[in-house]
Amino acid sequence: MHSLHIAMLAAVGIAAYTDSKTGLIPNWLTLPLIALGPIYWLVTESSEAGLRSLLAVLVVWLVPYLMYRMDSLGGGDVKLFAGLGGLGGITLGLEVLMYSLIAAMFVAVLLMAARGQLTVIAINVGRIIANPFLPKNRRKPPERNEMHQFRLGLSILAGTAFTLGYNYGLV
């Protein structure tokens, strides 16, 4: 396993722990992580590799940032994904993002099923999906008191571990 992949797992492990304890993924973890990838690739490979890593930071940051703007992700999650993109590159970063969101989806469904709230969630999801296609006078915003949150740190850890395990033939 590449040393950067070990760094990714360590960072995500710390993020999952702090997120589960405090609800926050701290800047002291995410901001250096964002800088680490481009610097590492610049120093060990080439200026082109450093630029590719910087591009990966931006590409992997984009979708989580849009989700953050829609109040669907926290800022620490966004910065963590960006840092993981810089370390692993665009493809690996996007795989981590995809598998983390899939893990989060499963966790959300299980939590809502345990709480007996799947119908409410299905209605809200339907509204969120349908609203952009409806005339303004027929749009129904999801009920804020029926929206639910949970921390993504463990889902990001699961997505990262799965991605690395899959890429190394361990899964």
Side-chain angles (χ1 to χ4, degrees):
M1 187 173 281
H2 196 284
S3 59
L4 284 183
H5 298 148
I6 294 168
M8 289 171 72
L9 283 172
V12 174
I14 294 167
Y17 177 79
T18 61
D19 192 31
S20 67
K21 292 293 182 189
T22 67
L24 298 171
I25 298 174
N27 283 338
W28 60 258
L29 175 65
T30 58
L31 296 179
L33 194 65
I34 291 171
L36 179 62
I39 291 170
Y40 174 86
W41 290 110
L42 174 69
V43 170
T44 63
E45 296 290 326
S46 65
S47 57
E48 183 180 318
L51 287 173
R52 277 195 312 267
S53 178
L54 189 57
L55 178 63
V57 167
L58 296 173
V59 168
V60 177
W61 164 84
L62 181 60
V63 169
Y65 175 72
L66 294 174
M67 294 175 73
Y68 168 79
R69 296 289 302 194
M70 295 182 343
D71 208 18
S72 299
L73 279 181
D77 301 318
V78 174
K79 291 177 277 190
L80 182 60
F81 281 124
L84 295 173
L87 289 172
I90 292 173
T91 302
L92 195 72
L94 291 174
E95 287 177 12
V96 166
L97 173 62
M98 178 183 68
Y99 289 124
S100 297
L101 294 177
I102 289 170
M105 178 191 65
F106 282 116
V107 169
V109 169
L110 291 173
L111 285 174
M112 295 304 106
R115 295 176 185 164
Q117 298 173 320
L118 283 180
T119 303
V120 171
I121 297 303
I123 291 168
N124 272 337
V125 168
R127 287 178 178 171
I128 291 168
I129 292 170
N131 278 339
F133 303 103
L134 295 173
K136 282 191 176 195
N137 63 340
R138 294 198 48 220
R139 293 180 186 172
K140 295 181 182 175
E143 296 293 327
R144 279 288 171 193
N145 62 342
E146 295 174 352
M147 299 294 283
H148 300 279
Q149 299 180 0
F150 69 93
R151 298 174 182 160
L152 288 183
L154 290 173
S155 296
I156 298 171
L157 177 59
T160 303
F162 180 82
T163 299
L164 293 175
Y166 182 78
N167 281 287
Y168 281 102
L170 302 174
V171 178

